[in-house]
Structure formats: C-alpha cells, structure tokens
Amino acid sequence: MAAFGLVGAVPADAAKLMPKGKAQTVAKSGLTVTPERDWNRIGARPGRNAESWTLDGLTLNDLTFYGGIPNDTTLFRDAKKKTEPLPKFSSTMLIPDIAQLFESSYRVSVGTSLMSIDSIEPATFAGSPGFHFTYSFVVEGEEVHRKGEASGAIIGGNLYMVTFEAPAIHYFDAGVEAYRKIAASSIVAPISKR
C-alpha cells in the first residue's frame, strides 16, 4: 500500500525472508499465499490487517496483503484521523466501490491527487467471486510514475486483497508476474465460529 509513503526508511533488520515454495500466512489473518520466488517481509506494517513484502525495497516494488479487513474499518493506519479521515470498508460494497475505497484511501494517505483506477473487472480470488483492478499514481513532489494491480474478494464479510505496485519504468514489468502468481496462490481459511 504505498508503504513508502507511510513507513519511510526501513532498517535492514526489519525485513524477514519469505522463502519461495513455502506457504505463508499473511497479515495476521486466514490469508495464505505461496511465493514462487524469495521476497522480504517488512516489519513495519501499513495497518493492523495488512503487511508488505518487497523484492528490491518498498520504493521499487511493494506487495501488500490486506487480510480480512472487517466491516467499518480502514484499509491501513489512519494517521490523519482528525483532519483527513480515511474511508472505511463496508461488507456491502460492490466491486467499483472497493476500487473507489482504495483510490480514496491512497489520495489521503499518500497525499496525491494524481491517482487513477485504470481498469476494473470481476475475477476469482481464493476460489471466491472477486475483482481485479489496475491503478496508477504519482506521489506529490515526485516525478516517478507508478503502476499497480490489485486482486481480492469479500469473503465471510471481510475484505481480502493483494496489491502490487512499482515504478512504471522497469520495476513494474520485472515484478508483476511474481505478484500474479502469489495472488493466484491465495487461500482464505474458513473463519471458525466459537
């Protein structure tokens, strides 16, 4: 989630290797993925129900998992709650609403007016009816054009989503297939009722 805009510099010891071929439970949720190449999990989390991985550093490629975002909750940490509150997820949202939630959240958190959802379509995610959308943005004060993709679904009333973003020049094309394979490997464990 554009973690570079929220997390800043990340110390080297804050990263943990996420080895290829090993199933990983992400974002302290029931979402599990199996990477086909090694990634680095960043210790600083963009939100309570989110975590980010990278190949080369968050400003170069950012894979973010949103694991079971509950109803009436923001996608990530609401750092400007009093002055510019983030929009909240609703379990009744339709696909275009989720893309709008994502775009609005970025505009506030990253502080950019240069953000767009470029395409949106229904798709299957973790075996459930879901969505896929593409987006692009430029962080205010920078000239780097970034592209991104998102895949997800509302499962059991919670939002599960995986996003990938990187600079449009080189890094996006170099990493997007690895993201697509991770998104395709997504499994959401059934929520047990106690």
Side-chain angles (χ1 to χ4, degrees):
M1 169 271 99
F4 56 86
L6 298 176
V7 177
V10 178
D13 63 347
K16 179 182 177 189
L17 178 68
M18 306 310 280
K20 66 181 177 182
K22 184 177 179 194
Q24 303 287 337
T25 300
V26 295
K28 296 187 177 182
S29 71
L31 178 59
T32 301
V33 298
T34 304
E36 289 197 8
R37 65 184 292 184
D38 292 345
W39 287 78
N40 294 297
R41 183 181 72 200
I42 303 303
R45 296 174 47 189
R48 184 171 163 214
N49 300 93
E51 75 177 52
S52 292
W53 294 6
T54 187
L55 293 169
D56 304 299
L58 289 179
T59 58
L60 299 177
N61 39 52
D62 179 359
L63 177 69
T64 300
F65 302 95
Y66 301 87
I69 304 291
N71 195 50
D72 203 32
T73 303
T74 59
L75 292 179
F76 34 85
R77 192 170 293 110
D78 200 353
K80 302 175 186 177
K81 188 185 293 188
K82 294 188 185 216
T83 58
E84 295 178 83
L86 290 172
K88 295 181 178 180
F89 166 71
S90 168
S91 59
T92 61
M93 287 181 160
L94 302 175
I95 293 171
D97 301 327
I98 293 169
Q100 180 61 45
L101 167 73
F102 185 80
E103 179 181 356
S104 298
S105 296
Y106 259 55
R107 287 179 180 273
V108 172
S109 289
V110 179
T112 184
S113 59
L114 306 171
M115 167 83 181
S116 67
I117 300 297
D118 301 321
S119 68
I120 185 166
E121 61 190 0
T124 300
F125 180 81
S128 296
F131 57 86
H132 175 263
F133 62 84
T134 62
Y135 60 98
S136 56
F137 68 100
V138 176
V139 175
E140 297 284 341
E142 292 185 9
E143 295 181 16
V144 179
H145 177 80
R146 290 179 168 82
K147 290 172 51 175
E149 289 192 17
S151 299
I154 297 173
I155 302 171
N158 295 327
L159 175 63
Y160 293 87
M161 183 167 62
V162 181
T163 64
F164 174 77
E165 62 195 44
I169 296 175
H170 176 70
Y171 288 97
F172 181 81
D173 290 338
V176 71
E177 281 306 315
Y179 146 77
R180 290 174 182 156
K181 288 176 181 176
I182 283 180
S185 78
S186 297
I187 299 169
V188 175
I191 299 170
S192 61
K193 295 183 179 180
R194 296 179 185 200

